[in-house]
Every structure is written in structure tokens, then in C-alpha cells.
């Protein structure tokens, strides 16, 4: 490998890390969903909403039954 490839790799890795840092978590997205529709944090309705949204998002991001992950291009 030449020197330019060694310089490019850290740049690409730092861009990848910065892009993933902005994604947030399932919990923060669920919290934003519930507060955006008017629930106050700590209320019984909020707790039910939060649990349901976390469960929905976990199902959204999980693989279908029997499906195996494919290798990444990275």
C-alpha cells in the first residue's frame, strides 16, 4: 500500500464515526416520539408510550426470522 491510502483510511474512519454519532439511540428516539405528542416525562401514559415505542423500534431494526446478516462492504 502506498502512503496516500494510509492517509485516506483515518479520514474515512473519522467521517464514519461522526456520521454514526448523530444517529442517537432507540431510547432517545422513543422519548422524542412520546414527548412530541404531548406526554410529560414520568407520567403513566408516557411510560406506556415509551415502552411501546422502544419495542416497535427494536422490531424495526431487527432482522426477519431466519435471516442472517450479510457481509459488509466496509
Amino acid at each position: 500500500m502506498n502512503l496516500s491510502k494510509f492517509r485516506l483510511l483515518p479520514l474515512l474512519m473519522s467521517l464514519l464515526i461522526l456520521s454514526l454519532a448523530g444517529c442517537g439511540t432507540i431510547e432517545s428516539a422513543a422519548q422524542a416520539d412520546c414527548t412530541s405528542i404531548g406526554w410529560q416525562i414520568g407520567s403513566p401514559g408516557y411510560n406506556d408510550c415509551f415502552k411501546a415505542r422502544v419495542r416497535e423500534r427494536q422490531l424495526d431494526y431487527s432482522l426477519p426470522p431466519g435471516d442472517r446478516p450479510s457481509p459488509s462492504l466496509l
Side-chain angles (χ1 to χ4, degrees), residues 34-47:
C34 293
T35 54
S36 70
I37 59 174
W39 289 110
Q40 291 186 355
I41 295 176
S43 67
Y46 170 83
N47 292 334

Side-chain angles (χ1 to χ4, degrees), residues 29-73:
Q31 180 181 7
D33 288 346
C34 293
T35 54
S36 70
I37 59 174
W39 289 110
Q40 291 186 355
I41 295 176
S43 67
Y46 170 83
N47 292 334
D48 294 338
C49 175
F50 180 78
K51 289 176 187 175
R53 295 291 180 165
V54 167
R55 193 174 321 114
E56 287 173 7
R57 288 183 179 272
Q58 286 174 341
L59 289 174
D60 287 344
Y61 295 119
S62 66
L63 292 172
D67 194 11
R68 290 185 291 174
S70 60
S72 172
L73 296 176

